[in-house]
């Protein structure tokens, strides 16, 4: 039990440049106050005080609203260090795939472009999560946009796009697993 950032730092000591492929499925930025603690036994109020988002008297310092400039920053600051360490773990011909939804895809791509370099971007895969049927059809008919997909950004460590594309050559082989 612990913060995955600390675990990644420990892994980096023994596995620097040793991993061929990394898949990351981070928590998505859903618009709520974003505190990524992953089931630590600590009360939310105490966590907020320790993180500086609440005073000892329970006064909240900030709210992660879409209208605030920090809406994306909270999530992005959490993912940046993890992706940076993930790059250190990759072999020279390694690849990384990062799942994301539409809330942060453009910001995540900017971070990954910065860490890996734009020349290392292999592709953006669309993953169909569901079909538009049942209640989703009813929502679509009322003018709501129905979310039925997410994305996977793929980067190669050394800028060789062919390395990442090798994984995509025979998708039928992998679709049934």
């Amino acid at each position: 039990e612990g913060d995955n950032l600390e675990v990644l730092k420990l892994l980096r000591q023994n596995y620097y440049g040793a991993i061929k492929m990394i898949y990351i499925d981070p928590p998505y930025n859903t618009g709520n106050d974003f505190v990524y603690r992953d089931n630590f036994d600590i009360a939310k109020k105490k966590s907020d005080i320790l993180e500086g988002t609440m005073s000892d008297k329970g006064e909240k310092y900030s709210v992660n609203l879409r209208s605030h400039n920090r809406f994306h920053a909270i999530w992005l600051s959490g993912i940046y260090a993890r992706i940076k360490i993930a790059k250190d773990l990759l072999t020279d011909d390694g690849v990384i795939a990062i799942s994301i939804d539409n809330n942060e895809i453009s910001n995540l791509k900017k971070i990954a472009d910065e860490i890996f370099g734009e020349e290392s971007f292999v592709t953006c895969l669309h993953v169909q999560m569901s079909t538009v049927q049942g209640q989703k059809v009813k929502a679509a008919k009322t003018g709501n946009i129905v979310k039925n997909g997410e994305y996977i950004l793929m980067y190669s460590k050394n800028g060789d796009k062919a390395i990442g594309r090798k994984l995509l050559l025979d998708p039928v082989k992998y679709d049934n697993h």
Side-chain angles (χ1 to χ4, degrees), residues 66-116:
R66 285 191 179 274
S67 60
H68 290 178
N69 291 335
R70 292 190 62 232
F71 174 74
H72 299 286
I74 294 169
W75 185 84
L76 292 170
S77 64
I79 198 70
Y80 185 91
R82 289 158 177 85
I83 293 174
K84 187 114 172 103
I85 292 173
K87 182 182 179 189
D88 291 342
L89 292 171
L90 286 173
T91 59
D92 287 339
D93 63 345
V95 295
I96 187 169
I98 311 165
S99 288
I100 194 67
D101 68 359
N102 60 324
N103 286 305
E104 294 295 350
I105 188 167
S106 62
N107 291 315
L108 179 62
K109 183 161 184 339
K110 289 173 189 165
I111 283 180
D113 283 349
E114 179 181 320
I115 293 171
F116 286 92

Side-chain angles (χ1 to χ4, degrees), residues 8 26-27 30 35 38 55 82 86 88 119 132 134:
L8 284 170
T30 60
V35 178
D38 205 21
S55 73
R82 289 158 177 85
D88 291 342
E119 70 282 356
V132 180

Side-chain angles (χ1 to χ4, degrees), residues 19 22 30 33-34 53 65 72 76 81 109 162 173-175:
I19 299 173
I22 296 174
T30 60
D33 287 344
F34 186 78
T53 60
L65 299 174
H72 299 286
L76 292 170
K109 183 161 184 339
K173 177 179 173 184
Y174 302 104
D175 281 350

Side-chain angles (χ1 to χ4, degrees), residues 15-58:
Y15 296 98
Y16 190 94
I19 299 173
K20 184 81 167 180
M21 182 181 179
I22 296 174
Y23 172 73
I24 299 176
D25 187 10
Y28 299 158
N29 190 358
T30 60
N32 298 321
D33 287 344
F34 186 78
V35 178
Y36 183 64
R37 301 286 279 153
D38 205 21
N39 285 334
F40 290 118
D41 291 332
I42 186 171
K44 180 166 177 22
K45 182 177 178 181
K46 184 174 180 180
S47 172
D48 288 346
I49 291 168
L50 291 172
E51 291 178 3
T53 60
M54 183 182 288
S55 73
D56 292 329
K57 297 177 184 176

